[in-house]
Structure formats: C-alpha cells, structure tokens
C-alpha cells in the first residue's frame, strides 16, 4: 500500500519528514517520473560526454607521464576515494526517490531475478575474471607488462577531473543497483 | 626509467577506457529505457536477485571498497 494512502484520515500523528516526502513523491508520481526521465537523459548525456573526453584524452595521451610516479603527491588519490564514496551515497538517495516514484506508479518489483540479468551478470563477471587474470599474470611476471592497477592509477592521477567524474558515476550506479531500497 | 615505465602502451589505456565506458553507457541506457517503459529499474532486478542471498551484496560491496582503496589511496605507487 502506498504511504500516502496510509496517512489519510483524521487523528493521524504527524509522520517523520522522510515519510511525508515519500508520500508527496508517490502522490505526484507522474510529474516526478518526467523529472526522473529528464535526469536520466541528462545522466546518459553526461556519461557520453565523459566517454568523448576520455577518447580525446587518449588521442593526446603521453604514456611517459607515468614515469617516476612514486615521486608524486598522493593527495589526489584521497580526494578520488572520497568523491567515489560521495557518488555512492548520492546514488542511494536517488534510488530511494526512484523507488517511491515506482510505488506511486504501481510498478511492481520483480518477484524473482530475470534470465537476461543473469546472462549480463555472467558476461560482466567474465570480463572481470579476464582483467583479474591479466593482473595476476602481470604481477607474477614482475609487473611486466604493467598491471591494470598501474594503468588505472596513472590515468586517474593525470586526468583528475575526468577520473573524479567517472569514479563518482561508477559509485552512483553501483549503489543504484546494490543499495536500491526494497521497502 | 624502470621496465614498467617503458612498457606502458596507448592500447592499454584504450582497453581501460573501452571497458569502463561501454559498461557505464550500457547500464545508463538500459535504466533510461526501463524508466521510459515504466518497467522495474536495474536496482529492483538486482534487489530481487539478492533477496535471500544478502551475502552476495556484502561480497560485491567489500570488493568495491577494496578496489577504491587499492586504486586511489595508493595512487602514486607503480
């Protein structure tokens, strides 16, 4: 039952802010859905722009920038970790909003996992296993050729704004998947 | 210059960008379409998949946290 339906009737105690907000979202779900769609579209465009920026950065990339990496200041790394966690928390907030839009629209949550999702998960894990296999081989071979980790660290350090936006997007999407509120 | 430095290649960075952004674009587009069609989100599908298997989510989160620390906290290590 939608929250706004539970809160009707006289003599009801004033509900906490988050419940009132959820009630408002559910009551105006159609309007909020339009905003959600626009935000989604904007998000997709942002990811596409980030991709284009990354490809542009690749064109002018100087792999020699990775030289003497150990002499650099590691502070940007802490910022990147913090930005990723911030993206993760923002993703949870947006997931909460989306969950209530769906409740207002009466979109039923799937009762069981779908086959399509299972196939995608297998593909994703296959890519992850491949990368991990390369990483293991590289490390076992004295980091020759450089492992994935070295590539990520070098790219993140020398393309800080791009890496920060990408890391925040990844954190955001992961919490939208795994921290989506169930009730 | 160490052997590691000498062996960095542009192709390695191309693979990195391709893997990250193909996944991000695909997920973003899928979620956009499911919202447009009023279907459950990816989050709701994953929720259904891990209901009763909460340890899967805990494992993935542990790996995610470890990767953030591994990549970024020691960003200047080779």
């Amino acid at each position: 039952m939608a929250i706004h339906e539970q809160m009707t009737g006289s003599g009801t105690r004033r509900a906490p802010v988050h419940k009132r907000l959820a009630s408002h979202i559910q009551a105006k779900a159609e309007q909020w859905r339009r905003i959600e769609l626009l935000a989604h579209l904007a998000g997709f465009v942002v990811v596409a722009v980030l991709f284009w920026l990354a490809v542009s950065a690749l064109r002018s990339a100087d792999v020699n920038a990775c030289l003497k990496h150990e002499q650099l200041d590691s502070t940007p790394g802490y910022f990147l970790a913090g930005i990723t966690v911030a993206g993760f928390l923002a993703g949870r907030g947006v997931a909460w909003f989306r969950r209530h839009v769906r409740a207002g629209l009466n979109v039923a949550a799937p009762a069981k996992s779908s086959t399509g999702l299972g196939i995608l998960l297998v593909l994703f894990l296959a890519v992850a296993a491949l990368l991990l296999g390369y990483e293991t081989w590289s490390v076992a071979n004295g980091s020759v050729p450089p492992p994935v980790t070295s590539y990520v660290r070098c790219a993140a350090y020398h393309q800080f704004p791009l890496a920060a936006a990408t890391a925040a997007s990844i954190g955001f999407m992961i919490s939208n998947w795994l921290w989506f509120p169930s009730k | 210059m160490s052997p590691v430095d000498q062996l960095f290649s542009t192709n390695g960075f191309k693979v990195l960008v391709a893997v990250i952004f193909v996944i991000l674009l695909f997920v973003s587009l899928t979620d956009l379409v499911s919202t447009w069609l009023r279907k459950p989100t990816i989050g709701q599908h994953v929720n259904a998949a891990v209901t009763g298997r909460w340890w899967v989510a805990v494992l993935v989160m542990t790996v995610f946290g470890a990767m953030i620390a591994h990549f970024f906290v020691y960003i200047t290590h080779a």
Side-chain angles (χ1 to χ4, degrees):
Chain A
M1 187 190 291
I3 290 173
H4 69 274
E5 289 172 11
Q6 295 171 8
M7 291 173 60
T8 53
S10 59
T12 308
R13 273 190 305 170
R14 196 165 169 78
V17 175
H18 71 280
K19 286 198 173 174
R20 274 185 281 146
L21 190 58
S23 169
H24 169 77
I25 293 168
Q26 290 184 15
K28 295 185 184 295
E30 277 297 342
Q31 288 159 275
W32 283 113
R33 181 179 165 271
R34 282 186 216 120
I35 293 169
E36 185 191 5
L37 266 173
L38 279 175
H40 241 307
L41 193 60
F44 180 72
V45 171
V46 166
V47 174
V49 168
L50 286 175
F51 181 45
W52 177 75
L53 288 172
V55 171
S56 302
L58 270 176
R59 284 199 192 116
S60 57
D62 175 17
V63 292
N64 292 325
C66 301
L67 298 176
K68 297 176 181 153
H69 223 226
E70 291 178 358
Q71 295 172 11
L72 299 172
D73 176 24
S74 61
T75 311
Y78 295 104
F79 280 110
L80 282 173
I83 288 166
T84 311
V85 173
F88 188 82
L89 294 175
R92 166 65 176 188
V94 172
W96 180 86
F97 162 77
R98 297 181 72 197
R99 184 237 173 274
H100 287 294
V101 170
R102 266 149 196 76
L105 295 171
N106 292 317
V107 175
K112 56 176 186 169
S113 56
S114 66
T115 312
L117 183 77
I119 292 168
L120 289 176
L121 190 63
V122 168
L123 280 175
F124 176 74
L125 290 176
V127 173
L130 205 65
L131 291 174
L132 204 58
Y134 169 77
E135 177 94 4
T136 307
W137 169 69
S138 169
V139 171
N141 205 33
S143 294
V144 180
V148 179
T149 299
S150 298
Y151 278 101
V152 172
R153 287 174 179 168
C154 182
Y157 192 93
H158 294 284
Q159 292 290 335
F160 181 83
L162 186 57
T166 307
S169 303
I170 292 171
F172 182 92
M173 285 188 186
I174 286 195
S175 72
N176 241 292
W177 287 3
L178 290 177
W179 208 8
F180 200 91
S182 54
K183 58 183 178 180
Chain B
M1 189 188 291
S2 73
V4 175
D5 295 329
Q6 292 171 40
L7 286 163
F8 273 106
S9 75
T10 313
N11 284 340
F13 288 105
K14 282 180 185 168
V15 172
L16 186 67
V17 167
V19 168
I20 290 173
F21 283 99
V22 164
I23 292 172
L24 279 182
L25 284 168
F26 178 77
V27 170
S28 184
L29 188 63
T30 307
D31 233 6
L32 175 63
V33 172
S34 68
T35 303
W36 176 263
L37 298 175
R38 296 169 186 260
K39 301 273 184 187
T41 65
I42 294 178
Q44 284 177 306
H45 279 292
V46 175
N47 235 323
V50 297
T51 299
R53 291 187 289 265
W54 58 268
W55 50 270
V56 174
V58 171
L59 272 178
V60 174
M61 292 320 305
T62 306
V63 171
F64 180 60
M67 281 174 74
I68 292 174
H70 178 68
F71 287 142
F72 296 149
V73 175
Y74 300 103
I75 194 166
T76 55
H77 290 218

